[in-house]
Amino acid sequence: MDHQRWTFADLKTLMAKASPLRSGDALAGLAAGSLEESVAARIALADVPLKRFLAEPLVDYDTDEVTRLICDTHDAAAFAPVSHMTVGQLRDWLLGDEADAPALASLAPGLTPEMAAAVSKIMRNQDLILAGSRPRVVTRFRNTVGLPGRLSTRLQPNHPTDDPAGVAASIVDGLLLGSGDAVIGINPASDSPTVIGELLRLLDDVIQDGAIPTQACVLTHVTATLGLIERGAPVDLVFQSIAGTQGANASFGVTLAQLAEARAAALSLQRGTLGDNVMYFETGQGSCLSAGAHHGVDQQTLEARAYAVARAFDPLLVNTVVGFIGPEYLYDGKQIIRAGLEDHFCGKLLGLPMGCDVCYTNHAEADQDDMDTLLTLLATAGVTYVMGVPGADDVMLNYQSTSFHDALYVRRLLGLKPAPEFEAWLQGAGLADDQGRPLAPPARLKLLERLDGR
């Protein structure tokens, strides 16, 4: 009987071959050539000591500021309890009873993204769900996000022409259905500072007039937000798309220094009433490959490296837009579901308030049934928040996401509620009963009257 012997040139190659199949790694020539090779790589990866990830950076330290951030901020004391472990032993520990929320919170600063990615590669989906449900990451601005038994939502009232009336109508629709406690966040169609400033003022008026305990964000580039802060615009959260390498972040037009400057500017406004988590980041598997800045590293590991960037700036929210980048990187529903579970697990393990845009583009081999599956799995895994898009169909970005009703479904299924301050507001406004279920009382008309003409 013939026996196949598999060898892997270095840690970077081993990590790539151990990844569950996805189209982006195949496109980059990094994927395992067969299921047998993938299984062999996972067996070998399970025996890799965690300390090796500290000694063998996958992206060069001297040329990449994300690698320098990961290495220079590593907390050796936090790492000490697991420093003797292999990747496989860390998996076993994470699935055991000792890995409770306090233990995981203490461990998070000691884990590098590469360690988190490695252990995720040898986990089944059920492992990712169980282990992802245990870390508890709580953040605050005008409400409290991430508490046990809670599922928040981003109300996403995008409009193809940034029409204020259209945006306001979507906001009302979402608020009436209990959406918007994570953030009311607009992706603007325009990059005009004037238009973005008008949208910020609209959101601020809605929140202040309604005394709504939530926060607003217009998802424009960080440098544009800095300019708007200088002009006195009412900025709650600073948004930026980020990635796992310096080159990919450069393709977004951003550096770590700019993120630090923006965070300091937002903090100086002192607009938070309960906390000072002022950053909102979005990520997605495949962004480094798309930018030609992947350095031969697989896309899931690079996604985890983006979380090191995020946690350096103490964000309120981090969102993996899991299926948005397209089938070139996540081909079908199976790959999107797996990636969403990986991203949530890795982000939570590294100490981040992870949300997920459960989504797909219309040219992917996926449909809304796949999204129902991922939404349900993520909710059981304790995802911090999901998207609320009118009809689940974003008419500006032209992709499919989750609707206000989808969030209501999963809250009802699992007995989850919005952030406590937002829940109290819904009940006080007569928009929800004592179980958090939407009502249709006269208070709805009052809310519409307040927003009339915006």
Side-chain angles (χ1 to χ4, degrees):
M1 180 178 178
D2 294 332
H3 295 278
Q4 173 71 53
R5 180 179 177 85
W6 300 98
T7 59
F8 306 96
D10 51 27
L11 188 55
K12 181 189 302 187
T13 302
L14 178 61
M15 290 278 280
K17 302 298 185 183
S19 284
L21 180 64
R22 61 210 57 202
S23 51
D25 290 339
L27 179 68
L30 303 176
S34 65
L35 288 175
E36 290 82 359
E37 184 180 18
S38 180
V39 170
R42 290 176 207 173
I43 292 171
L45 182 59
D47 290 333
V48 171
L50 294 177
K51 288 182 178 178
R52 185 175 170 187
F53 292 97
L54 300 175
E56 191 176 332
L58 303 190
V59 181
D60 184 65
Y61 179 95
D62 293 327
T63 61
D64 189 274
E65 68 173 357
V66 177
T67 299
R68 292 194 292 275
L69 174 70
I70 293 167
C71 294
D72 295 349
T73 61
H74 180 252
D75 188 329
F79 179 59
V82 299
S83 61
H84 63 286
M85 293 184 182
T86 64
V87 172
Q89 288 170 334
L90 177 61
R91 172 193 174 273
D92 293 344
W93 183 82
L94 289 170
L95 296 175
D97 293 337
E98 293 182 14
D100 57 15
L104 291 168
S106 298
L107 176 63
L111 294 178
T112 68
E114 291 84 355
M115 295 174 192
V119 74
S120 76
K121 294 177 192 297
I122 64 169
M123 286 182 160
R124 295 171 56 185
N125 284 4
Q126 68 174 242
D127 298 340
L128 295 172
I129 293 167
L130 177 60
S133 71
R134 289 176 167 173
R136 186 56 56 189
V137 183
V138 178
T139 56
R140 295 176 175 88
F141 190 76
R142 291 198 189 97
N143 60 27
T144 307
V145 177
L147 291 169
R150 306 281 173 171
L151 174 67
S152 294
T153 55
R154 170 187 161 188
L155 202 172
Q156 186 169 304
N158 295 345
H159 191 278
T161 64
D162 294 327
D163 177 61
V167 170
S170 293
I171 293 173
V172 171
D173 189 18
L175 290 173
L176 297 182
L177 291 169
S179 183
D181 54 328
V183 64
I184 304 176
I186 302 172
N187 298 92
S190 170
D191 59 4
S192 163
T194 299
V195 172
I196 294 167
E198 290 173 352
L199 292 173
L200 282 168
R201 285 186 286 275
L202 168 62
L203 293 178
D204 189 55
D205 287 348
V206 169
I207 289 172
Q208 299 303 328
D209 289 353
I212 307 171
T214 190
Q215 38 281 330
C217 186
V218 176
L219 282 67
T220 188
H221 192 270
V222 64
T223 54
T225 303
L226 273 168
L228 288 160
I229 290 174
E230 292 172 358
R231 297 183 185 94
V235 173
D236 289 344
L237 306 183
V238 174
F239 166 80
Q240 183 57 48
S241 294
I242 56 172
T245 68
Q246 180 175 333
N249 284 322
S251 75
F252 291 142
V254 67
T255 64
L256 300 183
Q258 287 174 321
L259 294 177
E261 180 185 1
R263 179 172 182 265
L267 287 171
S268 72
L269 300 179
Q270 297 183 322
R271 292 177 59 83
T273 56
L274 294 183
D276 58 3
N277 300 113
V278 296
M279 304 299 284
Y280 175 21
F281 295 117
E282 287 192 345
T283 66
Q285 288 194 26
S287 58
C288 293
L289 176 58
S290 177
H294 65 291
H295 300 277
V297 179
D298 68 272
Q299 67 183 37
Q300 188 255 331
T301 299
L302 292 171
E303 170 71 5
R305 283 169 55 94
Y307 304 153
V309 176
R311 72 175 174 180
F313 299 100
D314 201 17
L316 179 76
L317 306 166
V318 179
N319 176 35
T320 170
V321 193
V322 66
F324 183 75
I325 200 165
E328 299 82 3
Y329 305 94
L330 295 170
Y331 179 72
D332 57 14
K334 181 180 178 65
Q335 292 187 14
I336 292 171
I337 290 167
R338 174 69 190 191
L341 295 175
E342 290 170 346
D343 294 351
H344 174 259
F345 162 76
C346 288
K348 291 277 286 297
L349 186 62
L350 293 169
L352 289 174
M354 285 302 297
C356 184
D357 192 343
V358 178
C359 64
Y360 65 101
T361 58
N362 288 315
H363 64 309
E365 290 295 321
D367 58 28
Q368 210 65 37
D369 286 339
D370 295 315
M371 300 306 102
D372 286 349
T373 299
L374 179 54
L375 172 64
T376 307
L377 294 176
L378 284 169
T380 63
V383 71
T384 300
Y385 71 104
V386 295
M387 303 299 111
V389 177
D393 183 4
D394 193 301
V395 295
M396 195 282 282
L397 292 174
N398 293 307
Y399 79 116
Q400 309 304 308
S401 185
T402 48
S403 71
F404 308 134
H405 295 85
D406 292 332
L408 290 176
Y409 141 72
V410 80
R411 281 176 177 166
R412 180 171 292 183
L413 176 69
L414 299 175
L416 303 172
K417 296 182 179 182
E421 301 86 356
F422 192 80
E423 180 188 20
W425 176 79
L426 289 171
Q427 292 169 348
L431 299 177
D433 63 17
D434 58 3
Q435 299 300 311
R437 294 174 295 210
L439 297 172
R444 290 189 175 219
L445 296 177
K446 293 180 182 178
L447 182 61
L448 290 168
E449 290 170 0
R450 282 204 303 271
L451 296 174
D452 185 39
R454 294 195 186 284

